[in-house]
Amino acid sequence: PLVFYLQVKEKLKSIGPFRPMNIFLRQEIEQMQRVISLVRNTLTDLKLAIDGTIVMSENLRDALDCMYDGRIPASWKKASWASSTLGFWFTELLERNHQFYKWIFESQPNCFWMTGFFNPQGFLTAMRQEITRANKGWALDSVVLCSEVTKWMKDDITSPPLEGVYVYGLYLEGAGWDRRNMRLTESKPKMLFEMMPVIRLYAENNTSKDPRLYSCPVYKKTIRTDMNYIAAVDLKTLQPPEHWVLRG
């Protein structure tokens, strides 16, 4: 509703509109608002079309057929994100909305669900900008993304890190994770995906990369294409990094 959206705009003004993280949040909320409006308009028009009040257009017929089959209507998918079924898509809509709502009306999360953002790369850039500003003499061009896998799961986190951000909700495919020794290990039999502990993402100035670490690509979805690529995180490994590249 419009009243709620105006409340959101007021709140964004009051929490410091020029902080990189808050600029990122505003862009995400605007995109979310577009998706919610689209869903609301489609469902409202669909009710009127079923009652015979308005004409059933091609778009509405497509939406009705998709909902009947449990698929995502094309217009919704285009404005949002990919998902295997309408049920999973709607669950993600609620979860994304919940994260934004808590962030804006309560406080910045201690731990972020990074794949619940429209633009996770923008999130990482905003984090790098904040760290660059906090360290005198650093330049954004020379600040590189660094990562550290913690021993904790999401529910163990009670405060944010001193620098950087905690993220959760990432899964490993093609490998397992040895939580005791904090390193990559072979996949367990019949386990396609393994949930990663919370990862701390931060930035450092001009650091040289440890060649023994495996630079693991992170994707928004299981379809691993350039469109879904977010960034790479460095993971400890006993085997040479090429071993994990071959494991996919």
Side-chain angles (χ1 to χ4, degrees):
L2 189 63
V3 179
F4 175 67
Y5 189 54
L6 293 173
Q7 263 184 310
V8 169
K9 286 188 113 164
E10 282 303 309
K11 192 73 180 158
L12 277 168
K13 273 185 202 165
S14 70
I15 59 175
F18 303 115
R19 256 192 72 195
M21 275 294 193
N22 293 344
I23 292 170
F24 164 77
L25 176 61
R26 192 190 73 233
Q27 290 165 343
E28 289 284 313
I29 284 175
E30 283 170 359
Q31 181 79 16
M32 194 66 184
Q33 193 64 32
R34 283 195 284 274
V35 176
I36 291 170
S37 298
L38 181 63
V39 172
R40 186 183 289 121
N41 292 342
T42 304
L43 296 177
T44 307
D45 287 353
L46 208 46
K47 277 175 79 173
L48 294 172
I50 290 166
D51 291 342
T53 312
I54 62 169
V55 175
M56 177 77 79
S57 68
E58 196 64 48
N59 270 353
L60 289 176
R61 194 174 292 112
D62 167 68
L64 189 60
D65 289 345
C66 284
M67 284 176 210
Y68 186 79
D69 296 336
R71 290 180 291 119
I72 307 145
S75 59
W76 296 6
K77 200 171 183 175
K78 195 176 172 189
S80 59
W81 51 88
S83 202
S84 54
T85 68
L86 183 59
F88 285 134
W89 184 90
F90 200 78
T91 302
E92 192 166 325
L93 176 80
L94 297 176
E95 286 175 352
R96 282 174 180 239
N97 195 53
H98 180 64
Q99 173 160 261
F100 294 138
Y101 185 91
K102 281 190 77 172
W103 185 347
I104 196 164
F105 287 111
E106 291 174 26
S107 65
Q108 185 169 305
N110 295 328
C111 197
F112 295 88
W113 176 40
M114 191 170 66
T115 47
F117 294 137
F118 292 96
N119 178 16
Q121 293 92 329
F123 169 70
L124 296 177
T125 302
M127 179 269 292
R128 281 172 52 224
Q129 283 174 325
E130 294 209 341
I131 290 179
T132 305
R133 286 182 186 183
N135 290 277
K136 227 177 170 61
W138 286 21
L140 190 62
D141 293 351
S142 57
V143 167
V144 291
L145 182 71
C146 302
S147 56
E148 169 200 9
V149 183
T150 70
K151 287 194 169 180
W152 310 305
M153 295 316 267
K154 180 199 165 218
D155 294 339
D156 304 326
I157 303 290
T158 53
S159 60
L162 292 173
E163 199 168 61
V165 290
Y166 286 135
V167 299
Y168 72 93
L170 297 178
Y171 291 81
L172 268 178
E173 184 181 8
W177 185 253
D178 178 349
R179 280 184 72 185
R180 181 174 294 160
N181 297 304
M182 315 277 284
R183 63 183 178 221
L184 284 167
T185 178
E186 295 297 345
S187 303
K188 295 182 185 77
K190 295 183 182 169
M191 258 187 81
L192 269 179
F193 302 101
E194 176 151 351
M195 190 166 195
M196 283 295 280
V198 167
I199 300 172
R200 178 169 85 97
L201 297 175
Y202 59 103
E204 281 189 356
N205 205 23
N206 281 328
T207 50
S208 55
K209 201 172 115 54
D210 186 339
R212 291 165 302 173
L213 294 172
Y214 167 54
S215 185
C216 182
V218 181
Y219 297 92
K220 291 183 212 176
K221 297 283 173 189
T222 48
I223 303 157
R224 295 179 292 177
T225 64
D226 287 353
M227 292 287 286
N228 285 330
Y229 176 77
I230 300 173
V233 298
D234 294 330
L235 303 177
K236 287 181 188 168
T237 168
L238 284 178
Q239 295 90 335
E242 295 76 34
H243 175 85
W244 303 112
V245 175
L246 291 172
R247 282 275 185 275

